[in-house]
């Protein structure tokens, strides 16, 4: 099962307490840790996390810099545990606009965890699905080739923080994804919330355009 999460609501979560937005991002990193630890218990094989969109460059410079620092810190702290637990880390999105010290850290995290088979965690950074599509498309390409280039189809798309939109995330891969929107802000998103989303997903009937129940025909 491939679960993708738009981790939204960090800034508003912090502002509720009168704290700077960055405090929300910091607490959001704890939720990422929780989700990665708990995902294999729920039968999730691939977890794709939206951490920074290409449009997020439009934010104030200090918020962007703080996010990049948090990311570097997160990677430094998490790689060892990921490795021990069979978690493979990959990063999707552009790398040429990221801080130059971050890029080798991403590459190291990917190579250090490359043997992980229990869970694949893909972190989307400077990510735009439209740009990924434009970069991947070749003349004469068919659906399978494009899917192989971009990555696996999403089974369950979760967005926290109350908004109900994709914000340029996994447009092709979500063609038949089930959507789960929750008002819970990402820093508050717990193991139980993840489990509830997966349980709801399992109760849905995915028809992929077919008629499955012909008993009434
Ligand atoms: C999601 O939280 C994290 C990033 C986009 C980096 P936001 O920062 O978008 O939080 P809100 O939506 O403003 O509350
Ligand atoms: C989407 O959230 C990007 C991430 C969660 C990383 P945004 O907060 O940037 O999206 P919009 O602006 O509400 O669409
Ligand atoms: Mg947001």
């Amino acid at each position: 099962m491939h679960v993708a999460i738009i981790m939204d609501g960090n800034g508003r979560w912090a502002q509720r307490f009168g704290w700077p937005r960055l405090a929300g991002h910091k607490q959001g990193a704890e939720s990422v840790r929780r989700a990665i630890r708990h995902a294999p218990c729920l039968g999730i094989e691939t977890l794709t996390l939206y951490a920074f969109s290409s449009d997020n460059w439009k934010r104030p410079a200090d918020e962007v810099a703080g996010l990049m620092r948090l990311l570097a810190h997160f990677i430094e702290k998490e790689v060892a545990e990921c490795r021990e637990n069979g978690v493979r880390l990959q990063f999707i999105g552009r790398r040429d606009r990221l801080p130059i010290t971050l890029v080798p850290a991403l590459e190291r995290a990917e190579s250090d965890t490359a043997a992980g088979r229990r869970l694949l965690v893909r972190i989307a950074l400077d990510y735009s699905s439209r740009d990924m599509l434009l970069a991947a498309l070749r003349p004469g390409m068919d659906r399978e080739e494009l899917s192989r280039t971009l990555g696996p189809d999403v089974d369950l798309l979760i967005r926290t923080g109350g908004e109900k939109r994709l914000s340029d995330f996994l447009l092709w891969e979500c063609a038949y994804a089930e959507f789960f929107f929750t008002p819970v802000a990402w820093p508050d998103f717990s193991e139980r919330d993840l489990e509830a989303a997966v349980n709801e997903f399992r109760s849905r009937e995915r028809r992929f355009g077919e008629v499955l129940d012909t008993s009434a025909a």
Side-chain angles (χ1 to χ4, degrees), residues 125-145:
L125 279 186
D126 193 357
Y127 178 93
S128 153
S129 183
R130 286 177 163 181
D131 286 346
M132 295 295 278
L133 277 161
L134 283 174
L137 278 167
R138 298 280 173 268
M141 213 177 206
D142 62 20
R143 289 176 171 202
E144 281 67 34
E145 284 174 300

Side-chain angles (χ1 to χ4, degrees), residues 14-41:
Q15 280 161 343
R16 266 204 333 247
F17 303 101
W19 297 339
R21 294 176 54 82
L22 213 54
H25 297 315
K26 206 165 169 185
Q27 199 55 40
E30 293 302 319
S31 295
V32 174
R33 208 164 281 140
R34 276 201 298 269
I36 293 175
R37 282 193 192 139
H38 200 55
C41 316

Side-chain angles (χ1 to χ4, degrees), residues 6-13 15 21 25 50-53 56 59 63 67 159 161 163 186:
I6 302 176
M7 309 184 290
D8 197 23
N10 294 353
R12 281 165 287 159
W13 179 88
Q15 280 161 343
R21 294 176 54 82
H25 297 315
Y50 207 0
F52 191 87
S53 79
N56 289 148
R59 294 187 178 201
E63 183 175 347
L67 276 165
R159 181 169 187 146
E163 312 295 354
W186 178 247

Side-chain angles (χ1 to χ4, degrees), residues 23-89:
H25 297 315
K26 206 165 169 185
Q27 199 55 40
E30 293 302 319
S31 295
V32 174
R33 208 164 281 140
R34 276 201 298 269
I36 293 175
R37 282 193 192 139
H38 200 55
C41 316
L42 301 174
I44 298 170
E45 290 129 358
T46 304
L47 183 64
T48 304
L49 303 172
Y50 207 0
F52 191 87
S53 79
S54 294
D55 286 316
N56 289 148
W57 292 116
K58 298 173 197 162
R59 294 187 178 201
D62 60 336
E63 183 175 347
V64 170
L67 276 165
M68 294 298 156
R69 266 199 313 277
L70 266 175
L71 248 148
H73 184 67
F74 179 84
I75 291 160
E76 193 190 328
K77 268 181 63 185
E78 293 310 302
V79 167
E81 186 178 327
C82 286
R83 216 179 133 106
E84 278 162 33
N85 294 331
V87 175
R88 179 175 192 178
L89 289 175

Side-chain angles (χ1 to χ4, degrees), residues 58-201:
K58 298 173 197 162
R59 294 187 178 201
D62 60 336
E63 183 175 347
V64 170
L67 276 165
M68 294 298 156
R69 266 199 313 277
L70 266 175
L71 248 148
H73 184 67
F74 179 84
I75 291 160
E76 193 190 328
K77 268 181 63 185
E78 293 310 302
V79 167
E81 186 178 327
C82 286
R83 216 179 133 106
E84 278 162 33
N85 294 331
V87 175
R88 179 175 192 178
L89 289 175
Q90 271 181 0
F91 299 90
I92 56 173
R94 282 177 68 163
R95 298 192 184 187
D96 57 308
R97 299 187 292 195
L98 296 175
I100 51 172
T101 51
L102 188 58
V103 178
L106 303 183
E107 288 166 355
R108 228 174 308 119
E110 286 179 331
S111 58
D112 285 355
T113 61
R117 291 289 173 269
R118 222 166 126 248
L119 173 69
L120 171 64
V121 174
R122 304 191 313 156
I123 299 179
L125 279 186
D126 193 357
Y127 178 93
S128 153
S129 183
R130 286 177 163 181
D131 286 346
M132 295 295 278
L133 277 161
L134 283 174
L137 278 167
R138 298 280 173 268
M141 213 177 206
D142 62 20
R143 289 176 171 202
E144 281 67 34
E145 284 174 300
L146 183 53
S147 286
R148 264 199 307 279
T149 311
L150 293 173
D153 281 355
V154 174
D155 295 302
L156 170 63
L157 183 283
I158 299 170
R159 181 169 187 146
T160 65
E163 312 295 354
K164 299 188 176 88
R165 52 177 172 257
L166 276 178
S167 301
D168 203 6
F169 193 43
L170 302 170
L171 302 178
W172 173 271
E173 297 92 321
C174 280
Y176 272 102
E178 295 294 330
F179 287 69
F180 184 90
F181 296 107
T182 170
V184 175
W186 178 247
D188 285 333
F189 194 78
S190 66
E191 289 93 340
R192 280 175 55 199
D193 292 315
L194 182 60
E195 195 167 338
V198 169
N199 285 341
E200 150 126 28
F201 165 80

